[in-house]
Amino acid sequence: MAPTGINGREAPDVQALASGGGFMCLEQTVTGTSDHDFRYELLEESAQFLLDGTKHRPNIAIICGSGLGSLATELEERDEFPYETVPHFPVSTVTGHAGKMVLGLLSGIPVMCMQGRFHAYEGYPLWKVSMPVRVMKLMGIEQIIVTNAAGGLNEKYNVGDIMFIKDHINMQGFAGDSPLRGRNEERFGPRFLCMNNAYDKELRSLAREAAQQLGLMDIVKEGVYVMLGGPTYETVAELRLLSILGVDAVGMSTVPEVIVARHCGMKVFAFSLITNKCITDYETDLEPNHAEVIEAANARQKDLKELVKKIVSKMAAK
Ligand SMILES: O=P(O)(O)O[C@H]1O[C@H](CO)[C@@H](O)[C@H]1O
């Protein structure tokens, strides 16, 4: 019988781990927070399951943020895979995140959409939040569009603005956490990863071109995103601090996905839809809430769909 470990779980085979038999963080195993989903072979199983269920072979993926999932409904000849049916996948628990992988054609171009993402505040470790990105890589994805809903901290931003992300501040990284924490999987990428060009300049320039052609440039901004752990919105003091740090938009996602995408060599374009203005003074009764986030996302739905379609066409043509 296998020896029983912490919390009645099977004790980790430390020797196998040390010799590379399993790709999980030893500490996660010992603390009982890993359920072994991190192993390369299991990610291959998720990827193979999706490939077996569709004829589409996309090179481009889109992660849909809060309220932005209807982008996936634009896909033609859709194949949909609820997360609970995909081997080794976590499930989405947040309103505005349908929880499906959708493959199909966007303006005739094969794409893959994550209609709903995973967040750290749902209880997932960062590696699990971002594991679908590795599954995408194993399916052939080379370019990814990461979208989110975010609070506008830059005073010049209005609700409904679209901020192309040019850089981020990885707050979790400051505190010692990372989706890449643990033994490095060389089959995906290097142990030490540079992040100074994480957001691809060429893709951003294509996106600007697309926005220009659609007459959207007056609502397009370019700025710095920060991910906080959530699920609380920020205090006034926290927002004032972030403002001093040079943050333009505040959210609770995206950064782990971008880190993992860059680790495995994908090109990244990302944008935030500004769904609310961050409240930086004490003299107000206004309070941010998720309903307004979804409402603002719905209001900008049409423009976003057009923009993403055009960007995808340009990405496919380059
Ligand atoms: O980042 P996405 O998933 O778009 O969602 C944003 O909206 C939610 C808060 O209203 C948080 O989940 C935040 O991260």
Side-chain angles (χ1 to χ4, degrees):
M1 211 173 85
T4 304
I6 294 162
N7 299 331
R9 285 170 182 245
E10 199 175 288
D13 181 345
V14 176
Q15 262 180 352
L17 277 174
S19 66
F23 181 43
M24 64 190 132
C25 168
L26 179 58
E27 187 212 357
Q28 283 165 347
T29 314
V30 172
T31 56
T33 55
S34 168
D35 47 11
H36 299 223
D37 286 355
F38 208 16
R39 276 198 10 230
Y40 192 91
E41 292 72 20
L42 298 187
L43 299 175
E44 281 183 318
E45 281 176 24
S46 311
Q48 197 56 53
F49 171 86
L50 293 165
L51 289 172
D52 286 347
T54 182
K55 64 176 187 220
H56 301 296
R57 293 292 178 263
N59 162 274
I60 299 171
I62 304 165
I63 300 181
C64 303
S66 284
L68 303 172
S70 77
L71 281 174
T73 62
E74 293 289 293
L75 270 52
E76 287 162 2
E77 300 179 35
R78 280 203 293 282
D79 292 313
E80 303 194 352
F81 304 87
Y83 294 150
E84 61 273 19
T85 66
V86 183
H88 318 302
F89 252 58
V91 290
S92 279
T93 65
V94 185
T95 310
H97 290 260
K100 283 188 240 174
M101 202 59 101
V102 184
L103 287 97
L105 301 174
L106 193 63
S107 309
I109 296 151
V111 298
M112 172 171 184
C113 276
M114 244 187 113
Q115 199 180 15
R117 61 150 56 89
F118 309 113
H119 303 85
Y121 62 75
E122 293 174 77
Y124 296 123
L126 297 182
W127 65 261
K128 200 160 196 173
V129 162
S130 48
M131 68 80 96
V133 176
R134 289 187 155 177
V135 173
M136 290 171 179
K137 175 70 183 183
L138 294 174
M139 293 175 68
I141 298 299
E142 301 287 346
Q143 309 186 76
I144 188 165
I145 301 179
V146 187
T147 76
N148 63 57
L153 182 56
N154 186 318
E155 282 177 2
K156 296 192 183 122
Y157 290 5
N158 295 307
V159 171
D161 282 353
I162 300 166
M163 183 189 87
F164 293 173
I165 302 181
K166 69 170 181 209
D167 204 351
H168 70 220
I169 294 181
N170 175 12
M171 276 293 172
Q172 282 73 16
F174 283 21
D177 201 2
S178 164
L180 302 179
R181 194 176 155 185
R183 195 170 67 79
N184 187 52
E185 175 50 86
E186 296 288 330
R187 284 172 282 187
F188 284 117
R191 168 78 294 180
F192 297 106
L193 176 68
C194 58
M195 288 296 288
N196 52 320
N197 279 315
Y199 297 88
D200 193 84
K201 287 195 191 81
E202 192 189 350
L203 293 187
R204 218 156 63 236
S205 150
L206 289 187
R208 265 195 304 272
E209 223 175 81
Q212 251 151 19
Q213 286 164 3
L214 293 167
L216 291 175
M217 277 314 276
D218 54 334
I219 58 160
V220 167
K221 317 280 180 252
E222 212 165 285
V224 175
Y225 175 87
V226 72
M227 172 192 169
L228 302 181
T232 49
Y233 293 105
E234 303 70 40
T235 65
V236 169
E238 284 163 352
L239 289 168
R240 288 181 178 183
L241 172 69
L242 292 171
S243 186
I244 293 167
L245 297 180
V247 168
D248 295 299
V250 186
M252 309 172 196
S253 71
T254 300
V255 169
E257 295 150 354
V258 170
I259 290 172
V260 167
R262 290 300 301 138
H263 184 247
C264 62
M266 287 183 196
K267 288 192 170 179
V268 175
F269 170 69
F271 69 79
S272 298
L273 175 68
I274 304 302
T275 51
N276 55 291
K277 281 183 91 114
C278 291
I279 297 165
T280 51
D281 73 88
Y282 290 102
E283 309 309 317
T284 175
D285 292 330
L286 292 174
E287 292 182 342
N289 60 79
H290 192 57
E292 78 177 326
V293 167
I294 301 289
E295 196 183 308
N298 285 337
R300 192 51 88 198
Q301 228 37 264
K302 198 170 148 285
D303 290 331
L304 287 175
K305 283 179 184 170
E306 290 314 309
L307 181 62
V308 170
K309 269 192 206 169
K310 222 179 229 320
I311 294 172
V312 164
S313 301
K314 287 177 185 290
M315 280 165 88
K318 81 178 172 55

